[in-house]
Amino acid sequence: MPTIIAVDVSLSMTRPVPVAGAATGGTGDEGLTYHQLAIQAVNGILDYLAKHSRLEFVSLIVYSSLYEVLVDFTRDYESVRAALHKIDHYDKTSLENVLVAVNNMFKTHWGAQNYCQIIFLTDCGVGMGPSSLKNTVINLQNFKAQSSSSGVKVPLSENQWVGFSYPSKLTFVGLGNPADTAFKFGTKLYQQLLDVSGQNGQVFIPKLKSLSIEDPIDDGDELGCRYLTRKSVQELVENMCEQNYKQFEATLRCGGYFRLDGGITIWPAPLPYTSKDIFGAETTKLISRKLEICGYISLSDIGSPMSVSRHLILPRHEPDRLRISSKDNPSPEEKLEQDVKSFYAKPDGGGGGGGGDNDEDGTSAGDSTRESVCVLLHGALKVENMAALVLLTENWYGFIYSYADSKKKSNLMLNVLPPGNDVVPWLGDLRFLGNLDDAFPGENPSFPIKAEKRSYSQNIVVWIRQAGLQSDIQKVLRHAKKLPEKTQHFYKELNRIRRAALSLGFVELLEGLAHIFEREAATLGSSSSPDCGIQLKHAANELRKPSNRDLKAVIQAMPTKYNQVA
């Protein structure tokens, strides 16, 4: 989940921050500027990420009427801190230009499927002229109105922003006094931008308190002595980080009666999945906080199914959960299970009984001696080369497996499948998977069940990149130059390319191949077989015939005295 931090470097950020005077004793923040508070906020974000989300990629951008990428996406937070000392200030604020740049920059690096956090640190200046924030909101409203009324996509201008084309959260951190009229007007415009664009995000503003204990300020008093300080900015950043980077904590369970369970942290946090039915009704599903392992399957049988997202699973240290408090009121089965766990969790030399010995802090053992489901599961899956099928919530599954990003380090990964029971075609309905011992006599024990002819196991043509198409055409030409020995191979590859082009609607490729064959026939050397030129001209003519535009048609070789075609 990459993060983009954008710092406002317009001239208004160089203003000194109003501080408490001598009447209030001073605060030690004299001489501060809004830019210095923004630098403090960036360092606060980096400190939080270094402590709680060290795997986050961070990019640093500065903007005014133009923008500049100071640090590209990196996990080296020290390089981001070093770049903060190289920031210069420029002219007026233009938010729309940097929003367009952020959209293009993220898609170039990460595509349109990844989730991004975008954090703006600004004094909530609105700019002026055609590039002001007010005009941006007006243009956005007009674009939405035209698109909804006409029902067609309205073309965009070069520097017009109408929202991000990928899942994202847009956050504005406002550095200013909420009692200030200009700051209040700016925050309203920034919130209006989020509302009109439909972006998932929030505008954070500091909660300032009175500096005088003797003269407290009422909530309705906006003209009291409230001042922006380093401490208020620190609290603002901590509040923003706790909301935006909240960890997804869950419990992983496996086994039957004597269940193994443990706390885990899923990173990055899985997002809600929204799907539409044929009538256009939207349904949103959330992953449960209790994940249940249903069984285990070989990685070779799983293959590479379509997935929604991938996440890292980390163990979560919890206080001792083996004790039963009176308010829990467990069932007899749960109490028996807890007693069994308490018995096995007791240190060597401990007496019988089911209560277990606890330390003064309420824990029965240290973290080093406490069992970990993640460690056990990771080791077993890695050695056996298998994956665990996990139930995420009702009618939604995923796979947990061991993944090595290097030769020395491997991690436990969660691959989230699309919601549904039959989302992996070659596995069938995931609810009906069972053990080999459960098979009836005479059933085929092989798994997965192999059909006589599976479409996904046949040779397919992939032309995602230009190099793939070029290599296929070059392969046909290499066979053509070895005629008549390679006559069958030549026409087999030719028909394969022709069917792929017709399936994709790439009819122009057939005419292009015909031109290539005619040119090759005209430039053949004296050492080439006469059958080579004959077959190339024949293939060019066949490609141009309308009858060969049918997918079921097959181009056959022309019988000559040089080949053995009947």
Side-chain angles (χ1 to χ4, degrees), residues 181-383:
T181 305
F183 182 78
K184 187 187 300 184
F185 175 75
T187 53
K188 289 182 179 180
L189 270 182
Y190 278 86
Q191 184 61 51
Q192 189 177 0
L193 176 70
L194 292 176
D195 297 337
V196 173
S197 61
Q199 294 296 311
N200 179 24
Q202 186 178 349
V203 178
F204 289 88
I205 58 176
K207 296 180 180 179
L208 306 184
K209 299 179 181 180
S210 173
L211 296 176
S212 174
I213 302 178
E214 294 80 6
D215 187 19
I217 298 176
D218 297 331
D219 293 336
D221 186 6
E222 297 182 350
L223 300 178
C225 53
R226 298 185 179 189
Y227 298 95
L228 188 65
T229 61
R230 291 185 182 273
K231 184 177 180 180
S232 60
V233 172
Q234 179 182 356
E235 294 174 352
L236 174 65
V237 171
E238 290 177 355
N239 181 32
M240 184 272 297
C241 291
E242 288 176 358
Q243 293 191 34
N244 287 7
Y245 297 96
K246 188 176 182 179
Q247 295 181 344
F248 188 90
E249 298 179 348
T251 301
L252 180 63
R253 294 179 176 178
C254 61
Y257 168 71
F258 187 73
R259 293 195 299 268
L260 296 174
D261 58 356
I264 60 172
T265 299
I266 301 178
W267 186 91
L271 301 175
Y273 186 88
T274 302
S275 59
K276 290 185 178 181
D277 57 14
I278 57 176
F279 301 105
E282 292 187 352
T283 304
T284 301
K285 303 195 70 171
L286 299 173
I287 292 180
S288 173
R289 297 283 179 172
K290 295 180 180 180
L291 309 183
E292 188 83 24
I293 292 181
C294 305
Y296 305 91
I297 184 172
S298 175
L299 287 175
S300 60
D301 294 334
I302 295 176
S304 300
M306 182 180 68
S307 60
V308 175
S309 58
R310 291 195 308 168
H311 307 269
L312 183 66
I313 296 181
L314 303 172
R316 174 167 52 93
H317 298 293
E318 297 178 305
D320 193 1
R321 295 173 291 107
L322 300 179
R323 295 177 300 160
I324 303 176
S325 61
S326 58
K327 64 180 180 180
D328 289 336
N329 193 20
S331 63
E333 293 80 6
E334 292 176 341
K335 187 177 186 306
L336 179 60
E337 183 179 351
Q338 293 287 354
D339 289 341
V340 174
K341 287 185 177 182
S342 300
F343 176 80
Y344 284 106
K346 292 171 63 176
D348 294 338
D357 297 331
N358 295 327
D359 298 333
E360 294 181 357
D361 59 352
T363 59
S364 60
D367 291 339
S368 60
T369 60
R370 185 173 302 166
E371 72 277 2
S372 174
V373 177
C374 289
V375 175
L376 176 63
L377 186 63
H378 176 262
L381 296 178
K382 183 178 181 181
V383 172

Side-chain angles (χ1 to χ4, degrees), residues 8 57 272 310 316 324 330 337 365 440 453 468 486 496 504:
D8 188 356
F57 283 92
R310 291 195 308 168
R316 174 167 52 93
I324 303 176
E337 183 179 351
F440 293 104
K453 186 175 182 181
K486 295 290 185 179
R496 185 173 71 93
L504 298 174

Side-chain angles (χ1 to χ4, degrees), residues 77-226:
Y77 298 157
E78 294 303 320
S79 63
V80 181
R81 298 182 195 272
L84 294 175
H85 303 288
K86 304 176 183 178
I87 294 179
D88 294 327
H89 289 272
Y90 299 95
D91 50 359
K92 61 181 181 179
T93 301
S94 178
L95 188 63
E96 189 167 14
N97 290 338
V98 69
L99 288 173
V100 173
V102 166
N103 189 33
N104 297 333
M105 170 188 171
F106 185 81
K107 287 193 300 182
T108 302
H109 286 80
W110 300 91
Q113 301 298 324
N114 288 278
Y115 185 84
C116 181
Q117 293 267 13
I118 306 167
I119 303 174
F120 280 82
L121 300 170
T122 176
D123 60 348
C124 290
V126 298
M128 50 185 159
S131 61
S132 65
L133 182 58
K134 185 176 181 179
N135 283 339
T136 300
V137 173
I138 294 175
N139 294 336
L140 191 56
Q141 290 174 336
N142 295 336
F143 175 83
K144 297 288 185 180
Q146 293 177 9
S147 300
S148 59
S149 61
S150 60
V152 297
K153 189 174 181 180
V154 180
L156 299 175
S157 60
E158 183 178 356
N159 292 324
Q160 186 177 359
W161 180 79
V162 294
F164 296 115
S165 56
Y166 46 83
S168 60
K169 187 171 186 179
L170 181 59
T171 301
F172 294 102
V173 179
L175 304 176
N177 191 336
D180 182 59
T181 305
F183 182 78
K184 187 187 300 184
F185 175 75
T187 53
K188 289 182 179 180
L189 270 182
Y190 278 86
Q191 184 61 51
Q192 189 177 0
L193 176 70
L194 292 176
D195 297 337
V196 173
S197 61
Q199 294 296 311
N200 179 24
Q202 186 178 349
V203 178
F204 289 88
I205 58 176
K207 296 180 180 179
L208 306 184
K209 299 179 181 180
S210 173
L211 296 176
S212 174
I213 302 178
E214 294 80 6
D215 187 19
I217 298 176
D218 297 331
D219 293 336
D221 186 6
E222 297 182 350
L223 300 178
C225 53
R226 298 185 179 189

Side-chain angles (χ1 to χ4, degrees), residues 38-51:
I39 299 302
Q40 176 193 341
V42 174
N43 285 317
I45 296 173
L46 297 178
D47 291 339
Y48 187 91
L49 295 180
K51 183 178 181 180

